[in-house]
Amino acid sequence: MSEFSLIKNYFAKLSPLRQDVLLGAGDDCALLRSPINQLLAVTTDTLVAGVHFFADMPPYELGYKALAVNLSDLAAMGAEPAWVSLAITLPTIDESWLAQFCAGFAELLKIHQLQLIGGDTTHGPLSITITAHGFIPENQALKRDAARPGDKIYVTGTLGDAGAGLKILKNELQLAETYATDLIDRLYKPMPRIREGFALRGIAHAAIDISDGLAADLQHILALSQVGATLYVDCLPLSPALNQAVDKKQAWQLALTAGDDYELCFTVPQAKEAKLQQLEITYTCIGVIEPSPGLRLQLTTGKTYDLAQQPGYQHFG
Ligand code: ADP
Ligand code: MG
C-alpha cells in the first residue's frame, strides 16, 4: 500500500466534519475559520516508541492516548478543542494495527467533535506527533504564571494510578486482576479534563495538566508565578485501586512523582471559592499558594514530609 492510499483509507475519513473547516485533509494545507473574538490555542506533543510507550502497546489505546495527551494541554489552558493534525512515522504498514490505532484515535475525536485536518505519514521508527487547536476567549486562559499567594491548590480526579499501572506492566507490582485492570486503564486511557478546564474559566487563576507528576508540574506554576506552596500530602486524592495496590507512603510517592495521570492541578482565589463549589466537577483541595518560594510538603498535623526521590522525568537528564 502506498503512503497515499494509506492516508485515504485510514486517516482521511476518520473524524466528524466541522463547519469551521473550509478544507480538510487532502490538499496542500487545511483552510480553517477561527471564531471572531477568541484566541487560537495550539499545542503539540510527540510520543516515541520505547520512550513514551512500550512498542507493543495495544494500538487502540495508543491512538487514544496520543490524542488524549494533547487534548489535556488544551484542557489545562481552559480551551475548547476543535482541530487536530497527525504526523505519524510507521516502521511497517500493518493494516490491523492501523485500523485499531485509528479507532482509538477516533473515539476521542467523536467525543469532542474534533476534525482531523491533515498531517504527514512517513516511514521510520514508530513515532506519533499530534498538534491540537482550540479556542479560548481573550483574558480567560488558565496560564501557569497566574497563581497568587492565598490561592488554594486543587486537583481533579485521583493521582498516582497511572504510575501504579506502569509498575504492574513492568512486573514491579502484583495485585488482584480487577484492580490491576483499573490502574493499567488509567495509564492507557487517560480522560482529558476538557469539561473541567472549560468550567474553570473565570474561576481558576493558574492551571497545568499533570503529565510528569504533581510535584514537578506544580513547580512549573510556582516558578512562573514567582510564589511558593505548601502541599498537604495526606490530602492527595487516591483511588480505591491504588490504596489496594500499595501502602500509604508508596501511594503518596506515586501521587507526587509518577507521571501520566493527566489530571488538572489548578489554583483558585478566596473570592472565587463559592463559584468553584457550584461547579459539577470532581476536585480535591491539596494545599495553598504562599509568597515565599519553594514547595513544602507536609502532613495536616504540621509534620514535614520528605520525598524519597526527585520528582519528574527529564528527557536529557
Ligand atoms: P504534501 O506532500 O503536500 O506534504 P502529503 O502527501 O504529506 O502532502 O499529504 C497529503 C494530504 O494528506 C495533506 O493534506 C495532508 O495533510 C494529509 N495527510 C497526510 N498524512 C496524514 C495523516 N496521518 N492524517 C491526516 N491527514 C494526513
Ligand atoms: Mg507531507
Side-chain angles (χ1 to χ4, degrees):
M1 195 190 310
S2 73
E3 170 199 343
F4 301 105
S5 42
L6 206 160
I7 294 168
K8 187 161 153 274
N9 294 343
Y10 288 97
F11 299 116
K13 46 191 171 191
L14 256 190
S15 58
L17 299 177
R18 293 174 57 100
Q19 294 211 320
D20 52 12
V21 178
L22 307 188
L23 188 59
D27 211 312
D28 297 321
C29 296
L31 296 176
L32 310 163
R33 200 185 301 283
S34 303
I36 302 164
N37 296 331
Q38 294 208 52
L39 299 181
L40 187 59
V42 183
T43 179
T44 299
D45 260 310
T46 295
L47 298 188
V48 178
V51 178
H52 301 93
F53 61 93
F54 298 121
D56 64 352
M57 177 170 174
Y60 187 100
E61 282 78 0
L62 182 59
Y64 177 101
K65 185 165 178 177
L67 183 49
V69 302
N70 278 277
L71 297 186
S72 177
D73 280 317
L74 289 181
M77 210 67 190
E80 180 186 357
W83 310 316
V84 174
S85 64
L86 166 68
I88 188 164
T89 305
L90 297 165
T92 54
I93 296 183
D94 173 342
E95 294 206 49
S96 120
W97 189 97
L98 269 170
Q100 289 173 66
F101 176 89
C102 287
F105 192 82
E107 179 182 332
L108 271 179
L109 290 176
K110 291 206 184 85
I111 290 175
H112 298 287
Q113 288 298 302
L114 315 178
Q115 185 165 343
L116 180 64
I117 52 154
D120 204 12
T121 307
T122 51
H123 180 218
L126 180 60
S127 164
I128 298 142
T129 297
I130 290 175
T131 300
H133 305 74
F135 311 127
I136 179 100
E138 206 161 343
N139 300 322
Q140 289 204 27
L142 309 176
K143 289 161 61 189
R144 295 180 181 185
D145 67 0
R148 295 291 173 266
D151 288 3
K152 296 267 175 58
I153 305 167
Y154 295 87
V155 288
T156 59
T158 59
L159 300 179
D161 297 328
L166 182 61
K167 278 189 178 296
I168 294 167
L169 292 182
K170 293 203 285 192
N171 286 319
E172 293 171 13
L173 192 63
Q174 267 96 37
L175 77 162
E177 173 111 18
T178 50
Y179 290 119
T181 309
D182 280 359
L183 295 170
I184 293 169
D185 212 49
R186 289 269 297 165
L187 175 68
Y188 278 167
K189 292 199 73 195
M191 172 68 82
R193 299 298 186 185
I194 294 291
R195 200 177 62 83
E196 288 78 357
F198 191 92
L200 288 167
R201 286 178 179 181
I203 294 176
H205 269 165
I208 191 167
D209 64 321
I210 305 174
S211 54
D212 296 336
L214 172 65
D217 287 320
L218 176 57
Q219 289 191 58
H220 294 312
I221 288 185
L222 302 183
L224 284 173
S225 300
Q226 298 181 291
V227 293
T230 295
L231 268 196
Y232 298 99
V233 173
D234 46 353
C235 291
L236 296 174
L238 307 175
S239 70
L242 186 64
N243 276 319
Q244 203 69 34
V246 296
D247 65 30
K248 264 268 135 59
K249 277 205 102 158
Q250 277 181 287
W252 290 339
Q253 188 70 25
L254 284 169
L256 287 165
T257 63
D260 274 13
D261 280 321
Y262 296 101
E263 296 294 346
L264 298 185
C265 174
F266 57 96
T267 79
V268 177
Q270 188 65 44
K272 295 287 165 69
E273 283 289 324
K275 282 206 160 161
L276 175 66
Q277 281 163 27
Q278 284 164 14
L279 298 182
E280 288 182 8
I281 63 173
T282 311
Y283 56 84
T284 307
C285 182
I286 57 168
V288 61
I289 298 289
E290 295 159 341
S292 84
L295 176 60
R296 294 162 284 280
L297 303 180
Q298 278 188 17
L299 299 176
T300 37
T301 57
K303 199 165 162 264
T304 303
Y305 185 85
D306 285 321
L307 262 186
Q309 70 206 54
Q310 280 308 301
Y313 179 81
Q314 292 193 358
H315 282 277
F316 300 98

Short mmCIF file of all heavy atoms in Angstrom, two decimals, residues 4-36:
data_model
loop_
_atom_site.label_atom_id
_atom_site.label_comp_id
_atom_site.label_asym_id
_atom_site.label_seq_id
_atom_site.Cartn_x
_atom_site.Cartn_y
_atom_site.Cartn_z
N PHE A 4 -0.16 7.23 -0.07
CA PHE A 4 -1.38 7.97 -0.42
C PHE A 4 -2.65 7.16 -0.14
O PHE A 4 -3.63 7.68 0.39
CB PHE A 4 -1.32 8.43 -1.88
CG PHE A 4 -0.13 9.31 -2.12
CD1 PHE A 4 0.99 8.82 -2.79
CD2 PHE A 4 -0.09 10.60 -1.62
CE1 PHE A 4 2.10 9.62 -2.96
CE2 PHE A 4 1.03 11.41 -1.79
CZ PHE A 4 2.13 10.91 -2.47
N SER A 5 -2.61 5.86 -0.49
CA SER A 5 -3.81 5.06 -0.20
C SER A 5 -3.96 4.84 1.29
O SER A 5 -5.06 4.72 1.82
CB SER A 5 -3.81 3.74 -0.97
OG SER A 5 -2.56 3.15 -0.97
N LEU A 6 -2.83 4.79 1.99
CA LEU A 6 -2.87 4.67 3.45
C LEU A 6 -3.61 5.88 4.06
O LEU A 6 -4.50 5.74 4.88
CB LEU A 6 -1.43 4.64 3.94
CG LEU A 6 -1.09 3.97 5.25
CD1 LEU A 6 0.40 3.65 5.25
CD2 LEU A 6 -1.41 4.83 6.42
N ILE A 7 -3.23 7.06 3.60
CA ILE A 7 -3.88 8.29 4.11
C ILE A 7 -5.36 8.26 3.76
O ILE A 7 -6.23 8.51 4.61
CB ILE A 7 -3.20 9.54 3.48
CG1 ILE A 7 -1.76 9.66 3.96
CG2 ILE A 7 -3.99 10.80 3.83
CD1 ILE A 7 -0.94 10.67 3.19
N LYS A 8 -5.66 7.89 2.48
CA LYS A 8 -7.05 7.87 2.01
C LYS A 8 -7.87 6.85 2.79
O LYS A 8 -8.97 7.14 3.24
CB LYS A 8 -7.04 7.54 0.52
CG LYS A 8 -8.38 7.66 -0.16
CD LYS A 8 -8.18 7.77 -1.69
CE LYS A 8 -9.41 7.23 -2.43
NZ LYS A 8 -9.37 5.78 -2.65
N ASN A 9 -7.33 5.64 2.96
CA ASN A 9 -8.11 4.55 3.58
C ASN A 9 -8.26 4.70 5.08
O ASN A 9 -9.25 4.26 5.64
CB ASN A 9 -7.46 3.20 3.29
CG ASN A 9 -7.52 2.86 1.82
OD1 ASN A 9 -8.29 3.46 1.08
ND2 ASN A 9 -6.68 1.94 1.38
N TYR A 10 -7.23 5.23 5.73
CA TYR A 10 -7.28 5.23 7.19
C TYR A 10 -7.52 6.61 7.81
O TYR A 10 -8.35 6.76 8.69
CB TYR A 10 -6.00 4.62 7.77
CG TYR A 10 -5.99 3.14 7.54
CD1 TYR A 10 -5.30 2.59 6.46
CD2 TYR A 10 -6.73 2.29 8.35
CE1 TYR A 10 -5.33 1.23 6.23
CE2 TYR A 10 -6.77 0.93 8.12
CZ TYR A 10 -6.06 0.40 7.06
OH TYR A 10 -6.12 -0.93 6.83
N PHE A 11 -6.76 7.61 7.36
CA PHE A 11 -6.80 8.87 8.11
C PHE A 11 -7.83 9.86 7.59
O PHE A 11 -8.41 10.62 8.35
CB PHE A 11 -5.41 9.51 8.13
CG PHE A 11 -4.38 8.64 8.79
CD1 PHE A 11 -3.30 8.13 8.08
CD2 PHE A 11 -4.51 8.31 10.13
CE1 PHE A 11 -2.37 7.31 8.69
CE2 PHE A 11 -3.58 7.49 10.75
CZ PHE A 11 -2.51 6.98 10.03
N ALA A 12 -8.07 9.85 6.27
CA ALA A 12 -8.87 10.92 5.67
C ALA A 12 -10.33 10.91 6.13
O ALA A 12 -10.97 11.94 6.19
CB ALA A 12 -8.79 10.86 4.15
N LYS A 13 -10.88 9.71 6.44
CA LYS A 13 -12.32 9.70 6.75
C LYS A 13 -12.61 9.36 8.21
O LYS A 13 -13.65 8.80 8.54
CB LYS A 13 -13.04 8.72 5.82
CG LYS A 13 -12.35 7.38 5.68
CD LYS A 13 -12.98 6.57 4.54
CE LYS A 13 -12.12 5.34 4.28
NZ LYS A 13 -12.44 4.60 3.09
N LEU A 14 -11.65 9.72 9.06
CA LEU A 14 -11.76 9.31 10.47
C LEU A 14 -12.76 10.10 11.29
O LEU A 14 -13.37 9.59 12.20
CB LEU A 14 -10.39 9.52 11.14
CG LEU A 14 -9.53 8.31 11.41
CD1 LEU A 14 -8.36 8.73 12.28
CD2 LEU A 14 -10.33 7.21 12.07
N SER A 15 -12.89 11.38 10.98
CA SER A 15 -13.47 12.25 12.02
C SER A 15 -14.77 12.90 11.57
O SER A 15 -15.09 12.96 10.40
CB SER A 15 -12.45 13.32 12.39
OG SER A 15 -12.11 14.06 11.25
N PRO A 16 -15.51 13.43 12.56
CA PRO A 16 -16.69 14.24 12.22
C PRO A 16 -16.25 15.46 11.41
O PRO A 16 -15.11 15.90 11.51
CB PRO A 16 -17.20 14.70 13.60
CG PRO A 16 -16.45 13.92 14.62
CD PRO A 16 -15.21 13.41 13.98
N LEU A 17 -17.16 16.01 10.60
CA LEU A 17 -16.84 17.20 9.81
C LEU A 17 -17.36 18.42 10.56
O LEU A 17 -18.45 18.41 11.11
CB LEU A 17 -17.50 17.11 8.43
CG LEU A 17 -17.05 15.91 7.59
CD1 LEU A 17 -17.80 15.85 6.27
CD2 LEU A 17 -15.54 15.96 7.35
N ARG A 18 -16.55 19.45 10.56
CA ARG A 18 -16.94 20.68 11.25
C ARG A 18 -17.16 21.80 10.23
O ARG A 18 -16.46 21.87 9.23
CB ARG A 18 -15.82 21.11 12.23
CG ARG A 18 -15.60 20.19 13.40
CD ARG A 18 -14.37 20.67 14.19
NE ARG A 18 -14.52 22.04 14.63
CZ ARG A 18 -14.88 22.41 15.87
NH1 ARG A 18 -15.09 21.49 16.79
NH2 ARG A 18 -14.98 23.67 16.20
N GLN A 19 -18.07 22.67 10.56
CA GLN A 19 -18.39 23.77 9.65
C GLN A 19 -17.27 24.79 9.54
O GLN A 19 -17.19 25.50 8.54
CB GLN A 19 -19.66 24.48 10.12
CG GLN A 19 -20.87 23.56 10.03
CD GLN A 19 -22.13 24.35 9.75
OE1 GLN A 19 -22.30 25.44 10.30
NE2 GLN A 19 -22.99 23.82 8.90
N ASP A 20 -16.41 24.86 10.59
CA ASP A 20 -15.33 25.86 10.54
C ASP A 20 -14.11 25.33 9.78
O ASP A 20 -13.10 26.00 9.69
CB ASP A 20 -14.95 26.33 11.96
CG ASP A 20 -14.64 25.18 12.91
OD1 ASP A 20 -14.49 24.03 12.43
OD2 ASP A 20 -14.55 25.43 14.12
N VAL A 21 -14.20 24.11 9.21
CA VAL A 21 -13.13 23.58 8.36
C VAL A 21 -13.58 23.76 6.91
O VAL A 21 -14.44 23.05 6.41
CB VAL A 21 -12.85 22.10 8.67
CG1 VAL A 21 -11.76 21.55 7.74
CG2 VAL A 21 -12.43 21.94 10.13
N LEU A 22 -12.97 24.75 6.22
CA LEU A 22 -13.36 25.01 4.84
C LEU A 22 -12.73 23.99 3.91
O LEU A 22 -13.29 23.62 2.88
CB LEU A 22 -12.94 26.44 4.44
CG LEU A 22 -13.42 27.54 5.38
CD1 LEU A 22 -13.12 28.91 4.81
CD2 LEU A 22 -14.91 27.41 5.66
N LEU A 23 -11.53 23.52 4.29
CA LEU A 23 -10.84 22.48 3.52
C LEU A 23 -10.04 21.63 4.49
O LEU A 23 -9.20 22.15 5.22
CB LEU A 23 -9.92 23.16 2.48
CG LEU A 23 -9.27 22.27 1.45
CD1 LEU A 23 -10.30 21.51 0.62
CD2 LEU A 23 -8.38 23.12 0.55
N GLY A 24 -10.32 20.34 4.52
CA GLY A 24 -9.65 19.44 5.46
C GLY A 24 -8.48 18.72 4.80
O GLY A 24 -7.86 19.24 3.87
N ALA A 25 -8.17 17.51 5.27
CA ALA A 25 -7.03 16.75 4.75
C ALA A 25 -7.19 16.51 3.26
O ALA A 25 -8.30 16.32 2.76
CB ALA A 25 -6.92 15.43 5.49
N GLY A 26 -6.09 16.52 2.51
CA GLY A 26 -6.12 16.18 1.09
C GLY A 26 -5.51 17.22 0.18
O GLY A 26 -5.12 16.92 -0.93
N ASP A 27 -5.41 18.44 0.63
CA ASP A 27 -4.78 19.49 -0.20
C ASP A 27 -3.43 19.88 0.43
O ASP A 27 -2.97 19.22 1.36
CB ASP A 27 -5.73 20.69 -0.31
CG ASP A 27 -5.57 21.42 -1.65
OD1 ASP A 27 -4.42 21.70 -2.03
OD2 ASP A 27 -6.61 21.69 -2.30
N ASP A 28 -2.84 20.92 -0.09
CA ASP A 28 -1.53 21.32 0.43
C ASP A 28 -1.61 21.84 1.86
O ASP A 28 -0.68 21.69 2.64
CB ASP A 28 -0.92 22.41 -0.47
CG ASP A 28 -0.66 21.88 -1.88
OD1 ASP A 28 -0.24 20.71 -1.97
OD2 ASP A 28 -0.93 22.59 -2.85
N CYS A 29 -2.71 22.49 2.17
CA CYS A 29 -2.95 22.99 3.52
C CYS A 29 -4.42 22.77 3.87
O CYS A 29 -5.25 22.65 2.97
CB CYS A 29 -2.72 24.51 3.60
SG CYS A 29 -1.04 25.02 3.31
N ALA A 30 -4.70 22.79 5.14
CA ALA A 30 -6.09 22.90 5.57
C ALA A 30 -6.45 24.38 5.61
O ALA A 30 -5.58 25.23 5.84
CB ALA A 30 -6.27 22.28 6.95
N LEU A 31 -7.72 24.69 5.38
CA LEU A 31 -8.19 26.07 5.48
C LEU A 31 -9.26 26.12 6.57
O LEU A 31 -10.26 25.40 6.50
CB LEU A 31 -8.76 26.55 4.13
CG LEU A 31 -7.72 26.62 3.00
CD1 LEU A 31 -8.39 27.00 1.69
CD2 LEU A 31 -6.61 27.61 3.34
N LEU A 32 -9.03 26.99 7.55
CA LEU A 32 -9.83 26.95 8.78
C LEU A 32 -10.35 28.34 9.11
O LEU A 32 -9.66 29.34 8.87
CB LEU A 32 -8.95 26.47 9.94
CG LEU A 32 -8.17 25.19 9.65
CD1 LEU A 32 -7.04 25.02 10.65
CD2 LEU A 32 -9.10 24.01 9.70
N ARG A 33 -11.54 28.38 9.67
CA ARG A 33 -12.09 29.68 10.09
C ARG A 33 -12.10 29.75 11.61
O ARG A 33 -12.83 29.02 12.27
CB ARG A 33 -13.51 29.85 9.55
CG ARG A 33 -13.94 31.31 9.53
CD ARG A 33 -15.39 31.51 9.11
NE ARG A 33 -15.73 30.99 7.78
CZ ARG A 33 -15.42 31.58 6.62
NH1 ARG A 33 -14.74 32.71 6.61
NH2 ARG A 33 -15.79 31.04 5.49
N SER A 34 -11.26 30.67 12.15
CA SER A 34 -11.23 30.85 13.61
C SER A 34 -12.41 31.70 14.03
O SER A 34 -12.78 32.62 13.30
CB SER A 34 -9.95 31.56 14.04
OG SER A 34 -8.84 30.85 13.60
N PRO A 35 -13.00 31.44 15.19
CA PRO A 35 -14.09 32.29 15.64
C PRO A 35 -13.59 33.70 15.94
O PRO A 35 -12.47 33.88 16.40
CB PRO A 35 -14.58 31.62 16.92
CG PRO A 35 -13.57 30.59 17.27
CD PRO A 35 -12.66 30.37 16.12
N ILE A 36 -14.44 34.68 15.65
CA ILE A 36 -14.10 36.07 15.94
C ILE A 36 -14.08 36.23 17.47
O ILE A 36 -14.84 35.57 18.17
CB ILE A 36 -15.16 37.01 15.31
CG1 ILE A 36 -15.21 36.74 13.81
CG2 ILE A 36 -14.86 38.48 15.58
CD1 ILE A 36 -16.45 37.30 13.15
#
